[in-house]
Amino acid sequence: MKSALVGLLCLLLITPAGAQEKPEKKGKLFDRKLIVAGLTMLAAQIADAETSLAAMRRNRNSREANPIYGQQPGRRRLYAVGGALTGLAFLTAVAAKQHSIRQGNPDSKLWLLPVVVHNTGRGLAAWHNSRIPASRPRVLRVCPAAGAGCR
C-alpha cells in the first residue's frame, strides 16, 4: 500500500511537469512597430493639414483639391475629417496585423501596406502644398520724379 501511494504521488508530480510545455510565442498586437507607425501617420496628417492651411493663407486663389474637405476648409474641418481618415487607415493596419497573428504568421509585414499608402499620399500632399507660391498683389506702377523715365 505504501509503495502504491508513493508511486501515485510520483506520477502526480511528474505528470503536471510533463504537461506544461512551453506555449508557442504569439505575436503582440500593439508592439513598438505599430505604435511608431501610428505616430508617423499622425505626423503625416498634421503636416498635410498645416501645409494646406498655410497655402490657402499664402495664396488667395488656392483651393483644397480633396472634395471631402470642401473648397475652403477651416482648421477644425481639416483635422476632423483628416483625423477620421487617418484613424480608418490605422484601424485597417491593426486589423491586418491581428489577422496575420491569428493565422499564425506574426512576422507578416502586410499590415504595413495601409501605413505606407497613407504616409505616401499625405507626404506628397504636404510637399505639393509647400510648393504653392504666394499670390502677388497688384501693384500700381509709380513713375519717379513726375514721370521721368517712365514710358
Side-chain angles (χ1 to χ4, degrees), residues 65-79:
N66 192 341
I68 296 173
Y69 293 118
Q71 286 189 352
Q72 291 286 338
R75 180 171 267 121
R76 264 189 253 147
R77 175 174 257 175
L78 278 174
Y79 279 104

Side-chain angles (χ1 to χ4, degrees), residues 33-96:
K33 291 178 185 176
L34 187 65
I35 292 170
V36 169
L39 290 175
T40 60
M41 293 173 81
L42 180 65
Q45 193 265 328
I46 290 171
D48 181 24
E50 290 301 321
T51 56
S52 293
L53 289 169
M56 285 187 278
R57 237 177 303 152
R58 211 173 37 243
N59 190 327
R60 65 176 176 263
N61 297 323
S62 65
R63 303 277 185 257
E64 176 62 44
N66 192 341
I68 296 173
Y69 293 118
Q71 286 189 352
Q72 291 286 338
R75 180 171 267 121
R76 264 189 253 147
R77 175 174 257 175
L78 278 174
Y79 279 104
V81 175
L85 294 174
T86 300
L88 183 64
F90 182 70
L91 287 177
T92 305
V94 170

